[in-house]
Amino acid sequence: MDRFYDHKIESIGLDPVCVTQDDDFESSINVPDDGGRHSLSDTFRREYASLKDALARLVHNLAFLLRIRLLPRRQI
């Protein structure tokens, strides 16, 4: 779901939401790592990939907004 712009699948949200968050549930997903340093090439590679993803997401979202504005509701 994070890379909807790569898969050309639009996300749909529900309101009101049908799932709630349990704050008492313990998770290790957001635990910081041991603080090891990354090489300069790893940092550049990660930043390049992040920029490329951000541009792809921006282009996809702009194209989606144009489709919404230009097409009648029933064709979306």
Side-chain angles (χ1 to χ4, degrees):
M1 291 184 57
D2 289 340
R3 301 181 65 87
F4 58 92
Y5 47 90
D6 278 344
H7 306 296
K8 309 292 188 254
I9 297 175
E10 300 302 332
S11 298
I12 298 173
L14 298 175
D15 190 34
V17 295
C18 59
V19 178
T20 59
Q21 179 176 331
D22 182 7
D23 291 329
D24 296 329
F25 182 77
E26 293 204 19
S27 173
S28 63
I29 292 175
N30 292 326
V31 175
D33 62 357
D34 60 358
R37 296 197 44 113
H38 298 283
S39 71
L40 190 58
S41 65
D42 286 343
T43 301
F44 281 131
R45 186 173 32 246
R46 184 178 62 243
E47 292 299 321
Y48 171 74
S50 178
L51 177 64
K52 189 172 120 181
D53 285 347
L55 289 174
R57 187 173 44 251
L58 177 68
V59 168
H60 175 87
N61 287 338
L62 288 174
F64 180 76
L65 287 174
L66 285 174
R67 279 196 313 270
I68 285 177
R69 300 276 190 239
L70 297 177
L71 291 177
R73 288 284 178 197
R74 65 181 177 273
Q75 292 182 4
I76 297 174

